Amino acid sequence: MGRRRAAIVGAGHTRFGALAEGPRALLRTAISGAFASVDKGLAPSDVREAYVGTLGFSGWQLGNVSAVVAEEAGLVSAPVTRVENACASAGFALRDAVRAIESDATDVALVVGLEKMTDPTPTRRRYWLGVSGDTEWERLAGLTFAGVYALLASRHQHEYGTSREALAEVAVKNHAHAVANPNAQFRKPVTVEQVLASPRVADPLRLLDCCPVSDGAVALVLAGEDRARAYTDTPVYVAATGAGSDYLAVQERPSLTSLAATRWAAEEAFRRSGLERRQISFAEVHDCFTIAELLALEDLGFAAPGEAAALTHSGATRLGGAFPVNPDGGLKAKGHPIGATGASQAYEVFQQLRQAAGARQVRGAERALTHNVGGSGASATVTIFSVA
Amino acid sequence: MARAIVAGTAYRSRWRTGALEVEGPDEDPVTIAAELLEALVDRPGGAAGPVVALDLVGRYNAEAEAALPELLGVPHVAVRHHGEGPGALAAALALASRAPSDGRALVAVVDPSTPATAHPESGAGGVAFEIAEGVGLSVLEHGGRRHAAHHPPDAEAWCRAATASTGLASPSSALALQLVAREAPPVLLSAWRRQQPEASAETSPAAPVGLGAAPTVPTALGLRRLVERLGPGGEGILATVGVEATHFLGVRLGGPVAWNGAWEPVAPPTLLRDARSEPDLATAVSEGAYVPRPRYLENLPARWRFEGERCSRCASVTFPPRGLCRRCRAVDGLTRVALPRDGTVVAATVVAPGAQPTEFDPLVSESGGYGVVLLELSEGVRVTLPVADAPGEAPPIGATVTTRLRRLYPMDGEWRYGRKVLARRP
């Protein structure tokens, strides 16, 4: 192909959850952790470009948050660009960094994802939880994202007979995975019965079908493949990225059982990488709600339309199964600090492909895919990583 | 064959909430007026450019009231406001009867101003009529007479004035007496009976339609009662005695009346009675999920009457209108089209309390969770709508449902309106 690949050479991750630390402290923890994780050392001055994904939840520093990142990273004077695509902000920030490296615009780039969601009052929090949906037609029809995904779930149930239990099995699996993730917000298993007995949120979705409100930050250090070995002997290469967008409001999309942005992103990523689905060892998919993981598996091509529930039920997507999905617990149990999630998925891939994921290690993992969705599918990125 | 006139009535029980009386979590005089007018405009052949006189008794939401013509999409509309209720119906009917048209007109009167009391028919209501020469309700005459504030008019003088104003003195004419002044009813009713002794039998068309001591009954109900009493060809007087003036309206019924809509007092959900705290519209700030006023107004045709854009090049319909064909991206040859006001549910959910956007907190504090559906209006044209009439419920996928204009959310000091789904009515 000729173009230079990008590789992750370092990654840092705060705990996810309701944290006492403020946004600046979270940034420092993640970024210093990423710098410190570079095996052969990294001088901050090597970083010539940085991208930060954040929604700006709660209005804390809505504009120019890039300068804050530069301050906390010790990168004042380096250009920092803020990327906002709702829950896919860091996925797109990562894509920008990869493309900057692929195009030789920079040799080393920093990707940061940040959200501090538990600071505001519960009322303000509920206000912020819906700002990325279609304001005029969805939000002001009374829907937050739980409601929008609930509509999609109702249609999936109607067309494919997807059962309430099938949705719960996604939550059960991802909670089980999160037990082994020290950064996860919920490190406790749940049962199907507990999911079904949890409070209603938006039918058919219940509280344990939904990802939590989370604080957290993640940082990734990327380098051109020609420079990567100067930083580590075990870089994780970005084989390809793909991205897509769709109509903002679900009412304007032709399909109610599929997110087209995911399909288009996956199509691009697989085409550019030259890889097949069967070559992917595991996936980190955007399971903001249990229905979202089923949609993701179908739209990414790992399950036929309507078949993701059966795939999940078979155990294939569990750790130890043929194709583990969300070994870190996913958004569902690890937590979902909106702007950080896309980077957190790549962090997990970095650990897994370096065989450093400990008790949640996917054995023999060589290639992995991350899938990051903005809102109810208005935007999506798919990134494929490889150890070689 | 005699054509029946079409008449509609809408009625909502009222309840008090703090300083404000409201008709329902999301209903008010604007939405009642819209329901009435749509009932008439939507009937077969009804939308062919009738003249509409809309009279809202008292100002409720002047901006939204003024926008109601937009909802109707009819060429000639007059919206009037009357500070005092009793004369509003007479004035509106007169306005409609004099309107230049092909002899047809629609009139709707909505009375939001009756206070909440224990009277079983206390409520906000409206009535809408087609006025059509020969078949509809003809306005014979109307008039008014002032009297001392809070003093009922002299009974005998009142009867003379009523008959003189309307020209209806014959025993065959009926009387509907709408009494706003609390002291008046027995005196005036007995005076009327003395003047028309033959009309004393309750079954006689000339017997007064006793609205009783019902100072709280909406004016519109008086007209409905009167029309129900009159047979085709019958004549009657609707009289309203206000605090400071008496109004008389003489009408002749040309043909049978087909009622469109019931007048059934419905008790408001008891759980709502005291729970509501009206948001302070002047200071309530909605952050982020913000629709600036110009954009709300721009969307009115889509919000209020499901107006879309049909492309003359590829025939597809884009909703809401964007000035651009979604399918072939044409910007020329787009025609505004009214989509059906009912549709098929293609996806549905019920939002539980706590999961609502903050703009919906007032609604949830009144009636708990609410349904939201994705409704398909025509092939591939969908809209996301809340469910209006069934707290905590949503119609199932595949159901055919209709929609109504309702209050959506408060913003920038006003209620914003849009269509919602009725889950319980066909």
Side-chain angles (χ1 to χ4, degrees):
Chain A
M1 284 191 265
R3 73 187 153 78
R4 175 173 76 156
R5 288 186 301 171
I8 303 177
V9 298
H13 201 295
T14 68
R15 285 177 300 121
F16 279 2
L19 307 176
E21 297 96 315
R24 285 179 178 270
L26 292 173
L27 286 171
R28 276 198 300 278
T29 302
I31 294 169
S32 62
F35 288 172
S37 76
V38 176
D39 297 329
K40 300 179 183 177
L42 172 86
S45 58
D46 290 355
V47 178
R48 303 306 310 152
E49 194 80 47
Y51 299 87
V52 55
T54 187
L55 176 67
F57 197 92
S58 87
W60 175 80
Q61 199 51 47
L62 255 186
N64 257 335
V65 74
S66 297
V68 179
V69 172
E71 288 172 34
E72 300 306 331
L75 293 177
V76 174
S77 86
V80 184
T81 303
R82 181 256 186 90
V83 179
E84 192 282 298
N85 268 1
C87 317
S89 295
F92 278 86
L94 172 63
R95 178 175 160 93
D96 281 352
V98 167
R99 290 157 82 87
I101 289 170
E102 287 178 345
S103 63
D104 295 330
T106 189
D107 285 327
V108 180
L110 175 71
V111 174
V112 178
L114 167 72
E115 217 68 66
K116 178 68 187 171
M117 300 175 70
T118 66
D119 271 358
T121 62
T123 298
R124 270 185 193 279
R125 211 181 288 160
R126 274 192 299 117
Y127 148 65
W128 275 94
L129 282 173
V131 296
S132 304
D134 178 276
T135 298
E136 172 71 44
W137 293 97
E138 285 179 350
R139 162 112 186 189
L140 293 176
L143 296 178
T144 58
F145 279 116
V148 177
Y149 274 97
L151 287 178
L152 299 177
S154 78
R155 191 69 200 177
H156 204 269
Q157 291 186 311
H158 179 78
E159 289 192 18
Y160 299 119
T162 306
S163 69
R164 201 23 286 211
E165 288 73 15
L167 296 171
E169 284 177 355
V170 173
V172 171
K173 170 184 71 73
N174 289 346
H175 271 264
H177 288 176
V179 171
N181 184 352
N183 290 326
Q185 186 162 357
F186 297 131
R187 301 187 64 187
K188 59 177 184 189
V190 299
T191 64
V192 168
E193 293 69 31
Q194 284 173 314
V195 176
L196 298 186
S198 63
R200 291 169 57 209
V201 172
D203 297 342
L205 302 179
R206 290 176 175 269
L207 191 61
L208 286 176
D209 288 297
C210 307
C211 64
V213 170
S214 317
D215 305 325
V218 180
L220 310 167
V221 179
L222 277 75
E225 64 181 324
D226 53 319
R227 299 283 302 279
R229 299 266 168 187
Y231 295 111
T232 178
D233 292 332
T234 52
V236 169
Y237 297 96
V238 177
T241 71
S245 60
D246 200 351
Y247 295 107
L248 180 58
V250 167
Q251 69 185 34
E252 299 192 42
R253 302 181 195 161
S255 173
L256 301 177
T257 53
S258 165
L259 301 187
T262 296
R263 295 202 311 272
W264 292 320
E267 195 178 295
E268 182 193 356
F270 278 105
R271 178 170 44 78
R272 284 176 180 268
S273 69
L275 295 169
E276 307 285 335
R277 265 74 172 175
R278 59 180 169 73
Q279 294 175 278
I280 306 298
S281 310
F282 75 95
E284 284 281 308
V285 307
H286 197 93
D287 61 327
C288 47
F289 301 93
T290 49
I291 180 64
E293 178 161 322
L294 299 184
L295 295 176
L297 291 174
E298 293 169 10
D299 291 328
L300 292 167
F302 294 116
E307 301 285 325
L311 185 73
T312 303
H313 186 72
S314 76
T317 58
R318 281 203 293 263
L319 266 173
F323 180 65
V325 173
N326 289 330
D328 61 357
L331 285 60
K332 174 69 207 72
K334 178 187 60 180
H336 179 34
I338 294 171
T341 283
S344 174
Q345 294 172 324
Y347 173 93
E348 178 68 7
V349 167
F350 186 63
Q351 306 305 321
Q352 291 279 356
L353 294 192
R354 286 154 55 105
Q355 313 298 314
R360 64 183 194 280
Q361 181 64 46
V362 177
R363 288 183 205 291
E366 293 184 345
R367 294 181 200 87
L369 174 149
T370 62
H371 163 244
N372 193 196
V373 175
S376 62
S379 57
T381 61
V382 168
T383 310
I384 299 174
F385 301 86
S386 171
V387 289
Chain B
M1 192 173 94
R3 191 172 56 134
I5 69 165
V6 177
T9 321
Y11 174 81
R12 300 293 182 273
S13 297
R14 302 177 67 88
W15 67 88
R16 178 176 289 278
T17 162
L20 190 71
E21 289 144 14
V22 294
E23 286 68 42
D26 56 0
E27 291 183 278
D28 63 28
V30 172
T31 67
I32 290 176
E35 178 170 336
L36 283 169
L37 294 173
E38 284 181 354
L40 297 193
V41 173
D42 278 354
R43 74 195 195 282
V51 173
V52 171
L54 173 66
D55 203 313
L56 291 118
V57 182
R59 272 177 187 268
Y60 182 79
N61 181 338
E63 298 276 1
E65 291 161 17
L68 279 172
E70 182 77 16
L71 173 85
L72 281 163
V74 294
H76 303 292
V77 175
V79 179
R80 289 267 180 103
H81 301 277
H82 286 262
E84 191 179 357
L89 182 61
L93 285 171
L95 178 69
S97 68
R98 290 169 193 160
S101 72
D102 59 354
R104 298 172 53 218
L106 299 181
V107 58
V109 176
V110 179
D111 183 356
S113 59
T114 49
T117 72
H119 191 278
E121 287 179 331
S122 168
V127 64
F129 274 91
E130 178 177 348
I131 308 294
E133 207 57 52
V135 294
L137 198 68
S138 303
V139 177
L140 299 174
E141 194 51 78
H142 74 104
R145 198 182 160 94
R146 300 188 67 78
H147 52 77
H150 297 289
H151 285 84
D154 168 72
E156 301 302 331
W158 177 83
C159 285
R160 284 196 300 276
T163 52
S165 289
T166 61
L168 295 181
S170 87
S172 64
S173 57
L175 171 71
L177 190 54
Q178 167 82 11
L179 298 161
V180 176
R182 292 164 196 273
E183 305 86 348
V187 177
L188 297 183
L189 281 171
S190 59
W192 183 264
R193 288 194 174 102
R194 279 201 303 280
Q195 183 178 320
Q196 302 194 37
E198 304 91 336
S200 57
E202 280 297 313
T203 53
S204 161
V209 177
L211 295 182
T216 62
V217 175
T219 311
L221 178 58
L223 185 59
R224 177 161 184 169
R225 290 277 169 80
L226 179 65
V227 169
E228 285 171 344
R229 178 65 65 92
L230 296 170
E235 296 173 337
I237 298 173
L238 178 72
T240 59
V241 181
V243 174
E244 293 183 333
T246 301
H247 292 265
F248 311 103
L249 178 71
V251 295
R252 179 186 298 121
L253 186 60
V257 177
W259 289 100
N260 190 339
W263 188 289
E264 293 163 3
V266 178
T270 51
L271 70 125
L272 305 184
R273 271 189 188 275
D274 303 311
R276 183 191 165 100
S277 62
E278 183 73 7
D280 182 350
L281 294 181
T283 56
V285 176
S286 179
E287 304 162 82
Y290 178 62
V291 178
R293 193 140 205 291
R295 299 285 72 75
Y296 168 67
L297 295 177
E298 179 187 39
N299 279 325
L300 276 190
R303 272 274 189 213
W304 288 39
R305 64 167 186 268
F306 291 155
E307 195 169 274
E309 269 175 347
R310 187 184 301 282
C311 175
S312 63
R313 196 160 85 187
C314 74
S316 67
V317 174
T318 298
F319 177 86
R322 310 269 196 209
L324 171 80
C325 173
R326 273 277 191 255
R327 184 149 143 219
C328 73
R329 302 195 65 77
V331 293
D332 298 319
L334 302 174
T335 319
R336 293 280 179 135
V337 292
L339 294 159
R341 292 198 181 111
D342 48 19
T344 306
V345 176
V346 295
T349 186
V350 175
V351 176
Q356 75 279 7
T358 41
E359 298 81 14
F360 287 73
D361 288 358
L363 180 68
V364 167
S365 72
E366 284 169 359
S367 53
Y370 52 87
V372 180
V373 304
L374 205 50
L375 196 65
E376 187 152 292
L377 302 173
S378 64
E379 180 69 32
V381 180
R382 296 170 184 152
V383 59
T384 317
L385 300 177
V387 175
D389 63 338
E393 294 176 29
I397 291 174
T400 301
V401 293
T402 191
T403 63
R404 290 276 193 278
L405 191 75
R406 292 296 170 94
R407 289 201 305 217
L408 274 184
Y409 54 89
M411 198 167 283
D412 284 353
E414 66 179 3
W415 281 104
R416 300 279 179 83
Y417 298 84
R419 302 195 76 80
K420 294 185 182 179
V421 159
L422 295 187
R424 289 175 178 168
R425 274 188 264 180

